[in-house]
PDB file of all heavy atoms in Angstrom:
ATOM      1  N   SER A 458    -142.487  51.018  16.552  1.00  0.00           N
ATOM      2  CA  SER A 458    -142.063  51.833  17.697  1.00  0.00           C
ATOM      3  C   SER A 458    -141.992  53.320  17.347  1.00  0.00           C
ATOM      4  O   SER A 458    -141.856  54.142  18.248  1.00  0.00           O
ATOM      5  CB  SER A 458    -140.727  51.336  18.237  1.00  0.00           C
ATOM      6  OG  SER A 458    -139.849  51.065  17.180  1.00  0.00           O
ATOM      7  N   GLU A 459    -142.099  53.663  16.073  1.00  0.00           N
ATOM      8  CA  GLU A 459    -142.202  55.074  15.657  1.00  0.00           C
ATOM      9  C   GLU A 459    -142.942  55.174  14.344  1.00  0.00           C
ATOM     10  O   GLU A 459    -142.674  54.405  13.414  1.00  0.00           O
ATOM     11  CB  GLU A 459    -140.818  55.702  15.421  1.00  0.00           C
ATOM     12  CG  GLU A 459    -140.121  56.188  16.637  1.00  0.00           C
ATOM     13  CD  GLU A 459    -138.846  56.961  16.293  1.00  0.00           C
ATOM     14  OE1 GLU A 459    -138.710  57.453  15.157  1.00  0.00           O
ATOM     15  OE2 GLU A 459    -137.985  57.051  17.175  1.00  0.00           O
ATOM     16  N   PHE A 460    -143.826  56.147  14.247  1.00  0.00           N
ATOM     17  CA  PHE A 460    -144.438  56.596  12.996  1.00  0.00           C
ATOM     18  C   PHE A 460    -145.105  57.905  13.369  1.00  0.00           C
ATOM     19  O   PHE A 460    -145.462  58.106  14.534  1.00  0.00           O
ATOM     20  CB  PHE A 460    -145.483  55.596  12.475  1.00  0.00           C
ATOM     21  CG  PHE A 460    -146.757  55.573  13.290  1.00  0.00           C
ATOM     22  CD1 PHE A 460    -147.923  56.177  12.828  1.00  0.00           C
ATOM     23  CD2 PHE A 460    -146.763  54.977  14.536  1.00  0.00           C
ATOM     24  CE1 PHE A 460    -149.074  56.188  13.611  1.00  0.00           C
ATOM     25  CE2 PHE A 460    -147.917  54.986  15.326  1.00  0.00           C
ATOM     26  CZ  PHE A 460    -149.074  55.587  14.856  1.00  0.00           C
ATOM     27  N   GLY A 461    -145.231  58.828  12.446  1.00  0.00           N
ATOM     28  CA  GLY A 461    -145.836  60.087  12.875  1.00  0.00           C
ATOM     29  C   GLY A 461    -146.095  61.040  11.736  1.00  0.00           C
ATOM     30  O   GLY A 461    -145.655  60.832  10.600  1.00  0.00           O
ATOM     31  N   PHE A 462    -146.788  62.102  12.071  1.00  0.00           N
ATOM     32  CA  PHE A 462    -147.276  63.055  11.091  1.00  0.00           C
ATOM     33  C   PHE A 462    -147.307  64.427  11.764  1.00  0.00           C
ATOM     34  O   PHE A 462    -147.856  64.573  12.847  1.00  0.00           O
ATOM     35  CB  PHE A 462    -148.698  62.633  10.695  1.00  0.00           C
ATOM     36  CG  PHE A 462    -148.978  62.809   9.256  1.00  0.00           C
ATOM     37  CD1 PHE A 462    -148.724  61.780   8.358  1.00  0.00           C
ATOM     38  CD2 PHE A 462    -149.489  64.002   8.784  1.00  0.00           C
ATOM     39  CE1 PHE A 462    -148.981  61.944   7.005  1.00  0.00           C
ATOM     40  CE2 PHE A 462    -149.743  64.178   7.440  1.00  0.00           C
ATOM     41  CZ  PHE A 462    -149.501  63.148   6.544  1.00  0.00           C
ATOM     42  N   GLU A 463    -146.738  65.431  11.114  1.00  0.00           N
ATOM     43  CA  GLU A 463    -146.669  66.751  11.768  1.00  0.00           C
ATOM     44  C   GLU A 463    -147.997  67.498  11.734  1.00  0.00           C
ATOM     45  O   GLU A 463    -148.798  67.306  10.818  1.00  0.00           O
ATOM     46  CB  GLU A 463    -145.646  67.621  11.036  1.00  0.00           C
ATOM     47  CG  GLU A 463    -144.231  67.422  11.480  1.00  0.00           C
ATOM     48  CD  GLU A 463    -143.338  68.580  11.033  1.00  0.00           C
ATOM     49  OE1 GLU A 463    -143.844  69.689  10.767  1.00  0.00           O
ATOM     50  OE2 GLU A 463    -142.122  68.357  10.953  1.00  0.00           O
ATOM     51  N   SER A 464    -148.163  68.377  12.716  1.00  0.00           N
ATOM     52  CA  SER A 464    -149.251  69.359  12.640  1.00  0.00           C
ATOM     53  C   SER A 464    -148.942  70.538  13.555  1.00  0.00           C
ATOM     54  O   SER A 464    -148.149  70.418  14.491  1.00  0.00           O
ATOM     55  CB  SER A 464    -150.594  68.742  13.021  1.00  0.00           C
ATOM     56  OG  SER A 464    -150.728  68.686  14.416  1.00  0.00           O
ATOM     57  N   PRO A 465    -149.582  71.687  13.297  1.00  0.00           N
ATOM     58  CA  PRO A 465    -149.368  72.834  14.186  1.00  0.00           C
ATOM     59  C   PRO A 465    -150.122  72.641  15.499  1.00  0.00           C
ATOM     60  O   PRO A 465    -151.061  71.848  15.570  1.00  0.00           O
ATOM     61  CB  PRO A 465    -149.957  74.020  13.416  1.00  0.00           C
ATOM     62  CG  PRO A 465    -150.552  73.476  12.171  1.00  0.00           C
ATOM     63  CD  PRO A 465    -150.478  72.000  12.185  1.00  0.00           C
ATOM     64  N   PRO A 466    -149.731  73.403  16.536  1.00  0.00           N
ATOM     65  CA  PRO A 466    -150.493  73.359  17.790  1.00  0.00           C
ATOM     66  C   PRO A 466    -151.785  74.172  17.640  1.00  0.00           C
ATOM     67  O   PRO A 466    -152.071  74.706  16.562  1.00  0.00           O
ATOM     68  CB  PRO A 466    -149.540  74.017  18.779  1.00  0.00           C
ATOM     69  CG  PRO A 466    -148.726  74.957  17.959  1.00  0.00           C
ATOM     70  CD  PRO A 466    -148.611  74.333  16.591  1.00  0.00           C
ATOM     71  N   SER A 467    -152.521  74.284  18.732  1.00  0.00           N
ATOM     72  CA  SER A 467    -153.805  74.997  18.680  1.00  0.00           C
ATOM     73  C   SER A 467    -153.584  76.493  18.449  1.00  0.00           C
ATOM     74  O   SER A 467    -152.496  77.022  18.690  1.00  0.00           O
ATOM     75  CB  SER A 467    -154.558  74.798  19.987  1.00  0.00           C
ATOM     76  OG  SER A 467    -153.940  75.570  20.992  1.00  0.00           O
ATOM     77  N   MET A 468    -154.616  77.186  18.024  1.00  0.00           N
ATOM     78  CA  MET A 468    -154.517  78.629  17.777  1.00  0.00           C
ATOM     79  C   MET A 468    -154.120  79.373  19.051  1.00  0.00           C
ATOM     80  O   MET A 468    -153.400  80.361  19.002  1.00  0.00           O
ATOM     81  CB  MET A 468    -155.849  79.185  17.238  1.00  0.00           C
ATOM     82  CG  MET A 468    -156.044  78.963  15.750  1.00  0.00           C
ATOM     83  SD  MET A 468    -154.682  79.534  14.692  1.00  0.00           S
ATOM     84  CE  MET A 468    -154.728  81.303  14.928  1.00  0.00           C
ATOM     85  N   ARG A 469    -154.572  78.904  20.190  1.00  0.00           N
ATOM     86  CA  ARG A 469    -154.187  79.561  21.458  1.00  0.00           C
ATOM     87  C   ARG A 469    -152.682  79.499  21.647  1.00  0.00           C
ATOM     88  O   ARG A 469    -152.050  80.476  22.026  1.00  0.00           O
ATOM     89  CB  ARG A 469    -154.834  78.839  22.641  1.00  0.00           C
ATOM     90  CG  ARG A 469    -156.193  79.338  22.969  1.00  0.00           C
ATOM     91  CD  ARG A 469    -156.529  78.990  24.398  1.00  0.00           C
ATOM     92  NE  ARG A 469    -156.031  79.989  25.310  1.00  0.00           N
ATOM     93  CZ  ARG A 469    -155.835  79.790  26.602  1.00  0.00           C
ATOM     94  NH1 ARG A 469    -156.063  78.607  27.123  1.00  0.00           N
ATOM     95  NH2 ARG A 469    -155.411  80.762  27.372  1.00  0.00           N
ATOM     96  N   THR A 470    -152.126  78.305  21.383  1.00  0.00           N
ATOM     97  CA  THR A 470    -150.676  78.145  21.538  1.00  0.00           C
ATOM     98  C   THR A 470    -149.955  79.001  20.495  1.00  0.00           C
ATOM     99  O   THR A 470    -148.956  79.659  20.802  1.00  0.00           O
ATOM    100  CB  THR A 470    -150.311  76.654  21.429  1.00  0.00           C
ATOM    101  OG1 THR A 470    -150.951  75.969  22.499  1.00  0.00           O
ATOM    102  CG2 THR A 470    -148.815  76.425  21.487  1.00  0.00           C
ATOM    103  N   ILE A 471    -150.481  79.019  19.282  1.00  0.00           N
ATOM    104  CA  ILE A 471    -149.846  79.835  18.230  1.00  0.00           C
ATOM    105  C   ILE A 471    -149.878  81.305  18.627  1.00  0.00           C
ATOM    106  O   ILE A 471    -148.903  82.040  18.455  1.00  0.00           O
ATOM    107  CB  ILE A 471    -150.553  79.610  16.875  1.00  0.00           C
ATOM    108  CG1 ILE A 471    -150.292  78.187  16.397  1.00  0.00           C
ATOM    109  CG2 ILE A 471    -150.087  80.631  15.841  1.00  0.00           C
ATOM    110  CD1 ILE A 471    -151.036  77.795  15.141  1.00  0.00           C
ATOM    111  N   THR A 472    -150.982  81.748  19.202  1.00  0.00           N
ATOM    112  CA  THR A 472    -151.099  83.151  19.588  1.00  0.00           C
ATOM    113  C   THR A 472    -150.034  83.513  20.620  1.00  0.00           C
ATOM    114  O   THR A 472    -149.429  84.583  20.549  1.00  0.00           O
ATOM    115  CB  THR A 472    -152.513  83.437  20.128  1.00  0.00           C
ATOM    116  OG1 THR A 472    -153.435  83.008  19.126  1.00  0.00           O
ATOM    117  CG2 THR A 472    -152.729  84.905  20.413  1.00  0.00           C
ATOM    118  N   SER A 473    -149.744  82.586  21.548  1.00  0.00           N
ATOM    119  CA  SER A 473    -148.710  82.955  22.521  1.00  0.00           C
ATOM    120  C   SER A 473    -147.305  82.762  21.951  1.00  0.00           C
ATOM    121  O   SER A 473    -146.379  83.463  22.340  1.00  0.00           O
ATOM    122  CB  SER A 473    -148.891  82.204  23.843  1.00  0.00           C
ATOM    123  OG  SER A 473    -148.799  80.828  23.631  1.00  0.00           O
ATOM    124  N   MET A 474    -147.136  81.833  20.998  1.00  0.00           N
ATOM    125  CA  MET A 474    -145.783  81.652  20.464  1.00  0.00           C
ATOM    126  C   MET A 474    -145.459  82.723  19.414  1.00  0.00           C
ATOM    127  O   MET A 474    -144.295  83.019  19.170  1.00  0.00           O
ATOM    128  CB  MET A 474    -145.590  80.229  19.920  1.00  0.00           C
ATOM    129  CG  MET A 474    -145.816  79.983  18.467  1.00  0.00           C
ATOM    130  SD  MET A 474    -145.770  78.202  18.082  1.00  0.00           S
ATOM    131  CE  MET A 474    -145.973  78.296  16.302  1.00  0.00           C
ATOM    132  N   LEU A 475    -146.487  83.334  18.804  1.00  0.00           N
ATOM    133  CA  LEU A 475    -146.284  84.414  17.835  1.00  0.00           C
ATOM    134  C   LEU A 475    -147.058  85.632  18.315  1.00  0.00           C
ATOM    135  O   LEU A 475    -148.180  85.883  17.860  1.00  0.00           O
ATOM    136  CB  LEU A 475    -146.773  83.983  16.445  1.00  0.00           C
ATOM    137  CG  LEU A 475    -146.095  82.763  15.818  1.00  0.00           C
ATOM    138  CD1 LEU A 475    -146.771  82.401  14.509  1.00  0.00           C
ATOM    139  CD2 LEU A 475    -144.608  83.006  15.605  1.00  0.00           C
ATOM    140  N   PRO A 476    -146.468  86.395  19.226  1.00  0.00           N
ATOM    141  CA  PRO A 476    -147.222  87.496  19.824  1.00  0.00           C
ATOM    142  C   PRO A 476    -147.661  88.558  18.810  1.00  0.00           C
ATOM    143  O   PRO A 476    -148.678  89.198  18.992  1.00  0.00           O
ATOM    144  CB  PRO A 476    -146.248  88.095  20.844  1.00  0.00           C
ATOM    145  CG  PRO A 476    -145.063  87.217  20.885  1.00  0.00           C
ATOM    146  CD  PRO A 476    -145.126  86.250  19.754  1.00  0.00           C
ATOM    147  N   SER A 477    -146.903  88.713  17.735  1.00  0.00           N
ATOM    148  CA  SER A 477    -147.265  89.755  16.775  1.00  0.00           C
ATOM    149  C   SER A 477    -148.264  89.193  15.756  1.00  0.00           C
ATOM    150  O   SER A 477    -147.938  88.258  15.017  1.00  0.00           O
ATOM    151  CB  SER A 477    -145.998  90.242  16.079  1.00  0.00           C
ATOM    152  OG  SER A 477    -146.347  90.900  14.898  1.00  0.00           O
ATOM    153  N   PRO A 478    -149.483  89.775  15.681  1.00  0.00           N
ATOM    154  CA  PRO A 478    -150.529  89.216  14.794  1.00  0.00           C
ATOM    155  C   PRO A 478    -150.077  89.094  13.338  1.00  0.00           C
ATOM    156  O   PRO A 478    -150.480  88.172  12.645  1.00  0.00           O
ATOM    157  CB  PRO A 478    -151.691  90.200  14.931  1.00  0.00           C
ATOM    158  CG  PRO A 478    -151.446  90.903  16.228  1.00  0.00           C
ATOM    159  CD  PRO A 478    -149.966  90.919  16.437  1.00  0.00           C
ATOM    160  N   SER A 479    -149.208  90.008  12.874  1.00  0.00           N
ATOM    161  CA  SER A 479    -148.834  89.969  11.455  1.00  0.00           C
ATOM    162  C   SER A 479    -148.015  88.722  11.111  1.00  0.00           C
ATOM    163  O   SER A 479    -147.869  88.371   9.946  1.00  0.00           O
ATOM    164  CB  SER A 479    -148.034  91.221  11.096  1.00  0.00           C
ATOM    165  OG  SER A 479    -146.836  91.207  11.833  1.00  0.00           O
ATOM    166  N   THR A 480    -147.473  88.056  12.116  1.00  0.00           N
ATOM    167  CA  THR A 480    -146.668  86.856  11.837  1.00  0.00           C
ATOM    168  C   THR A 480    -147.516  85.581  11.837  1.00  0.00           C
ATOM    169  O   THR A 480    -147.023  84.514  11.508  1.00  0.00           O
ATOM    170  CB  THR A 480    -145.567  86.688  12.901  1.00  0.00           C
ATOM    171  OG1 THR A 480    -146.195  86.511  14.175  1.00  0.00           O
ATOM    172  CG2 THR A 480    -144.642  87.886  12.951  1.00  0.00           C
ATOM    173  N   ARG A 481    -148.769  85.706  12.200  1.00  0.00           N
ATOM    174  CA  ARG A 481    -149.621  84.516  12.316  1.00  0.00           C
ATOM    175  C   ARG A 481    -150.201  84.109  10.974  1.00  0.00           C
ATOM    176  O   ARG A 481    -151.380  84.294  10.690  1.00  0.00           O
ATOM    177  CB  ARG A 481    -150.736  84.764  13.346  1.00  0.00           C
ATOM    178  CG  ARG A 481    -150.198  84.766  14.753  1.00  0.00           C
ATOM    179  CD  ARG A 481    -151.295  84.944  15.772  1.00  0.00           C
ATOM    180  NE  ARG A 481    -150.794  85.718  16.898  1.00  0.00           N
ATOM    181  CZ  ARG A 481    -151.442  86.689  17.509  1.00  0.00           C
ATOM    182  NH1 ARG A 481    -152.663  87.019  17.121  1.00  0.00           N
ATOM    183  NH2 ARG A 481    -150.898  87.327  18.512  1.00  0.00           N
TER     184      ARG A 481
END
Side-chain angles (χ1 to χ4, degrees):
S458 44
E459 278 188 21
F460 72 104
F462 219 90
E463 275 197 22
S464 81
S467 74
M468 279 307 294
R469 272 202 86 200
T470 298
I471 292 175
T472 306
S473 61
M474 94 188 183
L475 300 175
S477 161
S479 64
T480 62
R481 287 183 214 137

